[in-house]
Amino acid sequence: MAGSEEEPRYSRQMYVLGGGARRLPGSAVLVSGLRGTGAQVATALVLAGTGRVVLHDCGAACTADRTQQFLLGESDLGQNRAKASQRALAELNPCVVVEAHTGELSEAFLASFQVVVLTESPLEEQLRIGDFCHAQGICFIVADTKGLAGQLFCDFGERFVVDDPAEEDPVSAAVQHISQGSPGVVTCMGTENSRGRLFHDGDLVTFSGVQGMTELNGQEPIPVHVLDAFRLEISDTSSFSPYRCGGLVSQVQRPRECSHEPLRQALKEPKIQVANPEDLPRSRSLHVAFQALHTFRREQRRLPRPRAPADAERVLELARSLGAQQGPLDEGIVRSFASVSAGELCPVAAVLGALAAQEVLKAVTGKFLPLGQWLYFDALECLELAGAAQLTETDCAPRGSRYDGQIAVFGANFQEKLGHQKYLVVGAGAIGCELLKNFAMMGLAAGPDGELIVTDMDTVALSNLHRQFLYRSADISEPKSVVAAAAVQRMNPDVRVTAHQNQVGPATEMLYRDNFFQHLDGVASALDTIEARTYLERRCLRCHTPLLDSGTEGTQGNVLAMVPSLTKPLEPATPRDGTFPFCTLRHFPRTIQHTLQWARDEFEGLFQLPAEQVNQFMEDPAFLEQQPPGKVLEQVWDSLRERPRDWQDCVRWARRHWQSCYHDVITQLLHIYPPEHETSPGVPFWAGDRSCPHPLTFNPDNNTHLDYVLAAAHLFAQVHRVPPCRDRAAIQAILRGVVLPPFVPQEGLQIPLTEEPTEEAQVPTDYKQLTELTQDLVQWRQELLGDEKAQAPLMEPIHFEKDNDVHIDFITAASNLRAENYGISPATWMMSKRIAGRIVPAIITTTAAVAGLACLEVYKLVWGCQDLSCYRNSNINLSTCLLLRVQPPPVPTYRYGGREWSCWDRLEMQAVGADGQAMTVQVVLDWLQRTHGWTVTMLLCGDTVLYDSKADAETRALQQAQRLSENLEDARMPKQQDLELLYVCEGEDAEAEDSRPPLLCSLP
C-alpha cells in the first residue's frame, strides 16, 4: 500500500537513502559555523527532513558574508548569523526543528547530538570536540573551505555499522544452468538493461525456484567468484541433484563495519581518499597547507592577505616545517592556496557543503560507506587563467562590497565583468535552483547591462520541496521560473533576472532564434531529459555559444563544459527506452521489471483505452464505419456490456479479471506447454529464459489478492462514475459470495515464441455476426443518448499517474501477483512506484555539488579563458565520496576541400538579395563556387532537396530559380530566419558524408 505521510515530499530522496531514511526524523545534528559552507550543510539537512538541526555561530553577519551565505538578507546584517539563518531555514521544512545556539560548545551540550559538524572552527577547537565525540560515539565531521580549496574529515567512531553499503538495488538474474562440481558453475541469463557484469567477486547470493538442484533453494547466502559476465563459481554442488530448469540467483546485501581514527591521530597519519593515485601528492600538500594556515592564523590573528607574497611565503615556511613527516611538498600548490585563502566562493562552499551533508546523512541513515577519512578538493586551476597570476594585492583588496570574498580571488575588474554577463538557465528544477542561487551570490548579471533568463514550463509540486531550494509550500502549483526569478531577486536585488515559461525546443525556434543564442555569453543546462539536453547542445554548437551541461541521478552527477572552438562537443547519450520484447511480457517474464511493465500495460488496457474508444463511439456517428472488422468493435461492445450498476458490480468485475489473469491464462499456457514439455527430445521447453509458471488460487483473506481487487474495483468504478468504497471487510463479504465457473482450456490456441510481436492469424470475417454487432451498437448508442441519466462523456479515461496512490496500489498488486505466478521475487510499493513511474532518484546533496562544480567553470568562461587545460569536466558519486575532475577532450578536426576544419567551423552567408528578398538557390551555388571553389552537385535543407545536378534540365532550372524561402513554403517547413543547408560537392569521397562544414544562410 501507499508509503508514509512524508512519502509525497521525500519520495525521490527515499529512492536514494532507502529504508534508512526513516531514521532522519529522529536525528539531531549540530552545524557549527554559518558562513557559506555551514549554510549549505544546514540547508541540505533541513530539506532532507533531519528531525532537529541546531545552528551554532557566535559572530554577527556582515556585508562580506553575502558572497556565499545565501540565507542572509540585507536586514540581517549586524545580527547573529545563527539566529538570522534559523529564521530562513525554518521556512524550508515545517517537519524539521531548527534552533540557534550562540553559547559555547560544552561537552554537556554536545552530548545530545548524533552528528556534529564544524565548518569555521580553529584547529584547537576541532581537536577538543573531535576527542570528545570519538570517546562518546558521536559522528564527527570537519568541513572547511578557504578560497579555491576545501577540506573534509569524518570520524564515525571505531565500530560504525553501515546497514546498506551499496548504491544500487540488489541484482538478480535468471538461472540457465548449474553444473555438478566443486566448485559448481552457475550460468545466468543477461537482462535487457544489463551493462557488463551483474555480480562481483565476493558477492553473497541466494537461490530460489531452482528445479532439479533443489538443495540450493533457501540456503544461507553463498559467496561467488565471477568467471565472466554470465558465469559464477559457487560452493561444492557435486553431491546435489542434477539441475533441471528454472531458478533465480539474487544478490544479498550484508551490513559492513567501519573503523575511524580520531582527528588528533588522523592529522599525523592521514588516510586521504582520492579518485586517482596520481592525485595523492596534491592532496597531501593541501593537508599540510590547511594545518599551516591554522598556525598562521593563530600567529597573526588573521588569514593571509589576498595576493600578499609575504603572507603566502610565511604559510609555505610553516608548511615546510610541518610537511617533513608527510612526504614531498608541492610548494606551488601551497603558495597558490595561501594567496587566495582569505577568499570566499559560493561554488566551493556548495561543493564541500554538499559532500559534508551527504556524510551526515550516511551517519544518520546507515546508507552508503562513509568517507575514510580525509578528502581534499580544489579548483586552483582557476589561478592559471591568462592574466590571473598578475593580479596584485591592490586588485584583490576588500571594497566593502558583498562580493569581497570573490574579489579576494579574482579581483575587482573580474567582478565587474561578471555583472555584464548574459546567461540562459534552461530548467528551474533541482539543479536549476542551485545554479540560480549561486549566480545570485556571484553577482552574475548584476550589472546595468547584465541579463539572466530562466525558462521552465513546469509548476512547483510537493515532491520538489525536498531538493529545490527556491520553493516553499505556498508556491505549489505556481510557475517554477517565476517563483525562482523572484527568489533570486530577494537574494540579490541587483541581478537582472527574467522568467520565461517556454520549452527550448523545435516548437520555440521562432522565439529562441540563432541571434538569441549568439547574444548570450553562456547557457547552463539543467534539463532532465536526454532529448532536451541533446537539442540544446546542438543549438549551442550551431551558434557558438558556451554550454555547461549538468545532470544527476541519485548520488551520481556530472558537469560537462562545451567551449566554442576549444572542446569537443558533447556526445548525446543514448536514452534507455525501457521496452521489453512482446512475448516476454505476455508469456515469459523473468524479472520484476517485466511484471511491472505488464502491469502498466494492463492499467492502460483496462482503464484508459476502452473508455476512450467508448467516448469516441458515443460522440462520432461515423466511428463504427471507420473501424476495421474485429477487435475494436468487440471491445466497445464488451465495455458497454460490462457497465456496472453499483460498487458491488465493480468488485465482481475485479474478481473475474483476477481469475482471468492469474489463474485462467496461466492454466491455458500450461495446457499448451505442460511443465514436462520438450522443444526437442531431451531439451526441456521450460528452461533458460523461460520460467514455468503456476496458477494462483484466489483467497479473499490474502492481502495481495484483496489489494488487487480493491484497487482494480476502485479504478473501474472511477471509469464508470460509480462511487467507490474502501471498506475491506465489506469487499471481502462480496467476494465470498462470488462463484465462478470452472475454467476449461481451449484447444488449438497458438502462442508466439519469438521475441517480436507477431501478426495474429487471420480469422475469416463473420459478416453476419459483424452486422448484428454493429446494429446492436447503433441501437445501444441511441438508447444511451436518449437516457437523461447518462453523462457525457459516458466514461472517464484514466491516465496513469505515478503520484496517485491508487494507481500504484494497482500496479504493485498486479505485478506482484504475476511475479508469484512465475516465481519472481515481489517488489515493495515504493520500488514498484519507482520502476513503473520511471522515477529518477534525486537528493539535494548531489544537485548542490553539481551546480557548484558548474559555476566554477562559469568563472573560466567569464574570464574568457582559451586554455583547454584550465577547464574541467566533473563526475561525482557521493555514495563513495568520489570526485573526479578531468580536462575536457580537445576539439577533433577533419579535412575537407583541401583544408582542415573542426566541428565548430561553419560557412556563413547573408542570403538576402539587393531587393531585400531571400536569395535564389543559384546565388547560393555561385557563392560556394566563388568563395571556396566547390562545385555543388546536391543542396538540401533537412530532407528537402533544393538542387540536384542529376535532375533533368527543366527541373534544375526551376530549382536554381527558386528563392530559399519559397522552398520552405513548398516543403511546408516552419518559417525560419536561419537555415542550415547541407551540400555534396563534385569529387568528394564517400567518407566526407558526415565531415563537411554546414552552410548557415541568414534569411530576411
Side-chain angles (χ1 to χ4, degrees):
M1 300 297 287
S4 65
E5 292 179 8
E6 294 81 16
E7 192 273 331
R9 186 184 190 104
Y10 300 115
S11 61
R12 304 328 186 244
Q13 174 179 281
M14 292 168 75
Y15 294 126
V16 179
L17 299 178
R22 298 187 187 95
R23 301 176 188 168
L24 282 169
S27 61
V29 179
L30 171 68
V31 179
S32 177
L34 265 298
R35 284 193 170 91
T37 306
Q40 185 66 62
V41 174
T43 299
L45 296 180
V46 171
L47 288 172
T50 308
R52 177 170 169 252
V53 177
V54 178
L55 314 175
H56 169 258
D57 198 307
C58 297
C62 63
T63 300
D65 288 339
R66 301 186 71 199
T67 304
Q68 55 175 345
Q69 223 289 24
F70 48 87
L71 299 173
L72 300 176
E74 190 74 33
S75 62
D76 295 319
L77 299 181
Q79 299 186 36
N80 176 269
R81 285 192 202 93
K83 290 182 177 179
S85 301
Q86 184 271 337
R87 289 192 290 271
L89 288 172
E91 297 176 357
L92 282 181
N93 192 339
C95 303
V96 176
V97 176
V98 185
E99 301 171 0
H101 176 73
T102 59
E104 66 171 320
L105 298 179
S106 65
E107 293 184 355
F109 176 72
L110 294 169
S112 65
F113 296 101
Q114 190 176 344
V115 188
V116 171
V117 184
L118 303 184
T119 67
E120 295 287 339
S121 300
L123 182 59
E124 296 74 22
E125 186 172 63
Q126 292 177 9
L127 291 169
R128 176 181 69 83
I129 294 176
D131 287 342
F132 174 78
C133 289
H134 188 84
Q136 297 299 313
I138 299 170
C139 294
F140 175 67
I141 296 171
V142 174
D144 200 4
T145 57
K146 293 290 182 285
L148 284 163
Q151 172 193 63
L152 182 61
F153 170 77
C154 292
D155 171 16
F156 287 9
E158 295 176 9
R159 303 190 67 179
F160 180 78
V161 176
V162 182
D163 298 311
D164 188 358
E167 181 178 16
E168 304 292 340
D169 294 328
V171 298
S172 59
V175 175
Q176 188 172 24
H177 185 261
I178 307 173
S179 69
Q180 287 176 296
S182 181
V185 176
V186 181
T187 304
C188 306
M189 295 292 299
T191 59
E192 288 82 358
N193 58 355
S194 62
R195 291 169 170 81
R197 297 186 176 187
L198 291 171
F199 300 95
H200 298 88
D201 280 343
D203 280 354
L204 297 173
V205 301
T206 57
F207 290 85
S208 60
V210 174
Q211 298 182 41
M213 197 177 283
T214 55
E215 294 90 341
L216 284 174
N217 295 330
Q219 270 201 7
E220 287 296 306
I222 304 166
V224 301
H225 170 63
V226 177
L227 296 176
D228 55 38
F230 303 106
R231 294 186 304 146
L232 312 171
E233 280 187 352
I234 57 173
S235 53
D236 186 356
T237 60
S238 56
S239 61
F240 292 174
S241 308
Y243 173 81
R244 192 165 69 82
C245 64
L248 198 69
V249 54
S250 302
Q251 184 186 42
V252 177
Q253 299 287 4
R254 285 287 182 89
R256 288 178 59 180
E257 190 174 276
C258 299
S259 180
H260 284 169
E261 302 291 347
L263 175 63
R264 195 175 297 275
Q265 184 175 340
L267 272 173
K268 300 172 185 174
E269 303 170 6
K271 296 175 183 175
I272 302 176
Q273 187 166 310
V274 291
N276 290 311
E278 55 264 31
D279 295 335
L280 188 56
R282 186 183 188 94
S283 291
R284 286 188 179 278
S285 295
L286 286 170
H287 181 74
V288 175
F290 268 92
Q291 292 179 68
L293 190 66
H294 279 294
T295 305
F296 180 95
R297 194 170 192 174
R298 191 167 58 247
E299 283 181 356
Q300 306 292 328
R301 302 190 178 214
R302 62 173 174 82
L303 288 169
R305 288 185 295 272
R307 306 285 179 162
D311 285 358
E313 289 303 316
R314 177 54 184 158
V315 173
L316 179 57
E317 185 181 329
L318 292 167
R320 289 190 188 113
S321 64
L322 289 167
Q325 306 101 13
Q326 303 288 343
L329 188 68
D330 188 328
E331 296 191 356
I333 292 292
V334 177
R335 191 180 285 109
S336 296
F337 165 76
S339 71
V340 295
S341 58
E344 295 178 339
L345 299 177
C346 184
V348 176
V351 174
L352 203 85
L355 291 169
Q358 186 66 52
E359 295 305 304
V360 174
L361 296 177
K362 292 178 185 179
V364 173
T365 64
K367 175 70 174 175
F368 308 132
L369 293 170
L371 170 67
Q373 290 185 259
W374 292 97
L375 179 105
Y376 286 91
F377 160 75
D378 79 86
L380 292 171
E381 74 276 358
C382 291
L383 300 183
E384 298 170 14
L385 299 168
Q390 284 71 51
L391 289 172
T392 66
E393 191 173 345
T394 302
D395 295 328
C396 300
R399 265 69 172 170
S401 156
R402 68 176 292 163
Y403 307 116
D404 276 353
Q406 200 161 250
I407 291 171
V409 179
F410 296 111
N413 289 340
F414 177 78
Q415 189 59 51
E416 192 174 330
K417 236 182 192 183
L418 274 167
H420 296 318
Q421 295 298 296
K422 295 174 175 59
Y423 260 73
L424 170 67
V425 177
V426 187
I431 297 175
C433 282
E434 293 297 313
L435 287 170
L436 292 167
K437 174 202 74 181
N438 292 345
F439 287 167
M441 296 297 99
M442 293 161 60
L444 188 83
D449 57 348
E451 186 177 22
L452 177 60
I453 299 170
V454 54
T455 185
D456 196 306
M457 296 175 65
D458 205 358
T459 56
V460 180
L462 177 60
S463 62
N464 300 149
L465 300 185
H466 82 278
R467 68 192 188 282
Q468 299 183 14
F469 164 70
L470 301 182
Y471 309 132
R472 308 291 184 266
S473 297
D475 299 321
I476 290 174
S477 298
E478 295 296 321
K480 282 186 175 180
S481 60
V482 174
V483 177
V488 168
Q489 283 273 280
R490 287 193 298 272
M491 286 191 282
N492 189 342
D494 293 332
V495 174
R496 296 175 176 270
V497 59
T498 305
H500 291 188
Q501 297 176 50
N502 306 311
Q503 181 186 31
V504 179
T508 56
E509 283 194 7
M510 291 303 292
L511 179 63
Y512 302 116
R513 294 179 169 182
D514 284 0
N515 60 357
F516 171 84
F517 278 93
Q518 290 161 357
H519 173 72
L520 298 171
D521 293 299
V523 174
S525 168
L527 294 162
D528 55 6
T529 69
I530 291 172
E531 294 79 10
R533 292 168 75 176
T534 301
Y535 172 83
L536 192 59
E537 289 158 13
R538 191 170 68 248
R539 289 301 305 278
C540 288
L541 174 64
R542 170 170 159 161
C543 298
H544 277 216
T545 306
L547 171 67
L548 295 170
D549 180 79
S550 307
T552 69
E553 182 172 351
T555 60
Q556 299 182 48
N558 71 319
V559 177
L560 302 174
M562 193 171 87
V563 186
S565 303
L566 198 63
T567 66
K568 181 181 180 181
L570 308 183
E571 295 181 354
T574 303
R576 304 177 192 175
D577 61 7
T579 59
F580 300 106
F582 175 76
C583 72
T584 298
L585 295 181
R586 191 167 184 183
H587 302 295
F588 310 117
R590 57 183 184 274
T591 68
I592 199 66
Q593 287 81 2
H594 294 156
T595 64
L596 283 164
Q597 183 59 53
W598 175 87
R600 274 289 304 267
D601 295 343
E602 273 281 286
F603 186 100
E604 183 179 290
L606 293 174
F607 310 120
Q608 179 189 331
L609 297 180
E612 290 174 344
Q613 290 169 350
V614 167
N615 290 343
Q616 278 184 284
F617 159 71
M618 292 295 296
E619 294 163 6
D620 183 2
F623 176 80
L624 295 177
E625 300 168 9
Q626 296 166 356
Q627 303 306 314
K631 271 192 172 181
V632 174
L633 297 184
E634 292 174 6
Q635 288 168 352
V636 171
W637 167 271
D638 289 340
S639 297
L640 293 172
R641 180 175 53 83
E642 291 176 336
R643 286 183 70 210
R645 295 164 298 174
D646 51 30
W647 169 246
Q648 288 81 357
D649 279 354
C650 296
V651 173
R652 295 185 189 101
W653 172 88
R655 171 67 182 89
R656 291 194 301 272
H657 198 72
W658 188 103
Q659 190 73 10
S660 172
C661 289
Y662 305 110
H663 180 274
D664 298 355
V665 168
I666 302 300
T667 302
Q668 180 69 55
L669 180 61
L670 292 174
H671 178 73
I672 300 169
Y673 300 114
E676 65 279 2
H677 185 75
E678 294 182 340
T679 54
S680 59
V683 180
F685 176 84
W686 295 106
D689 59 352
R690 297 192 193 117
S691 297
C692 185
H694 66 277
L696 305 183
T697 301
F698 186 80
N699 178 1
D701 296 319
N702 181 298
N703 280 334
T704 308
H705 296 193
L706 191 57
D707 288 345
Y708 177 90
V709 170
L710 180 57
H714 184 109
L715 293 165
F716 191 68
Q718 182 181 339
V719 167
H720 292 278
R721 308 180 192 279
V722 172
C725 171
R726 302 290 292 181
D727 187 337
R728 293 173 76 87
I731 293 170
Q732 285 175 310
I734 298 170
L735 292 170
R736 288 192 173 94
V738 176
V739 178
L740 300 178
F743 176 71
V744 179
Q746 297 182 47
E747 301 294 340
L749 280 183
Q750 296 294 317
I751 290 179
L753 301 180
T754 62
E755 288 299 313
E756 297 295 335
T758 58
E759 292 292 330
E760 295 191 8
Q762 293 294 319
V763 178
T765 303
D766 186 335
Y767 287 101
K768 181 180 178 183
Q769 183 182 3
L770 179 63
T771 302
E772 292 175 356
L773 179 64
T774 304
Q775 290 173 347
D776 288 347
L777 285 172
V778 169
Q779 183 178 347
W780 215 330
R781 182 175 180 276
Q782 291 172 344
E783 291 174 0
L784 288 168
L785 289 173
D787 185 354
E788 294 180 359
K789 296 180 180 179
Q791 300 182 45
L794 188 63
M795 295 170 67
E796 178 186 335
I798 304 176
H799 295 264
F800 175 74
E801 290 286 345
K802 61 180 178 291
D803 291 320
N804 186 304
D805 285 355
V806 176
H807 296 194
I808 301 301
D809 288 346
F810 174 83
I811 294 290
T812 303
S815 169
N816 285 342
L817 287 166
R818 187 158 176 83
E820 186 179 349
N821 279 139
Y822 284 87
I824 299 168
S825 299
T828 62
W829 191 91
M830 285 290 291
M831 181 187 289
S832 300
K833 176 175 178 175
R834 174 172 65 83
I835 297 172
R838 300 182 178 97
I839 295 173
V840 177
I843 192 166
I844 177 60
T845 48
T846 313
T847 53
V850 160
L853 291 166
C855 289
L856 288 171
E857 303 310 303
V858 170
Y859 285 137
K860 302 164 190 177
L861 291 172
V862 174
W863 194 276
C865 175
Q866 286 299 305
D867 182 354
L868 182 65
S869 67
C870 289
Y871 287 96
R872 297 290 182 270
N873 285 346
S874 300
N875 286 280
I876 60 169
N877 188 337
L878 300 192
S879 70
T880 57
C881 215
L882 172 74
L883 175 54
L884 180 64
R885 302 176 73 230
V886 297
Q887 178 182 304
V891 59
T893 60
Y894 61 92
R895 291 196 66 79
Y896 182 82
R899 59 162 284 192
E900 191 173 77
W901 305 82
S902 88
C903 53
W904 286 99
D905 291 324
R906 70 272 181 94
L907 311 178
E908 296 185 44
M909 178 184 182
Q910 290 294 322
V912 183
D915 59 357
Q917 299 295 309
M919 286 182 176
T920 63
V921 169
Q922 183 61 56
V923 175
V924 175
L925 300 177
D926 292 343
W927 183 85
L928 285 168
Q929 176 71 55
R930 183 176 64 254
T931 308
H932 296 282
W934 298 341
T935 301
V936 175
T937 57
M938 183 170 284
L939 188 67
L940 304 100
C941 181
D943 295 329
T944 303
V945 177
L946 307 184
Y947 172 74
D948 184 359
S949 64
K950 294 181 180 178
D952 59 70
E954 184 180 351
T955 301
R956 286 201 314 273
L958 288 171
Q959 290 174 337
Q960 291 164 329
Q962 269 202 313
R963 297 184 185 274
L964 295 178
S965 54
E966 293 171 344
N967 276 289
L968 295 183
E969 292 167 7
D970 291 347
R972 296 185 179 179
M973 294 175 66
K975 188 176 180 181
Q976 301 175 54
Q977 188 176 24
D978 304 288
L979 288 184
E980 182 171 328
L981 304 185
L982 302 177
Y983 52 88
V984 178
C985 293
E986 197 174 77
E988 71 177 41
D989 55 34
E991 293 182 2
E993 182 178 347
D994 296 318
S995 302
R996 60 173 73 86
L999 171 59
L1000 298 187
C1001 294
S1002 298
L1003 300 182

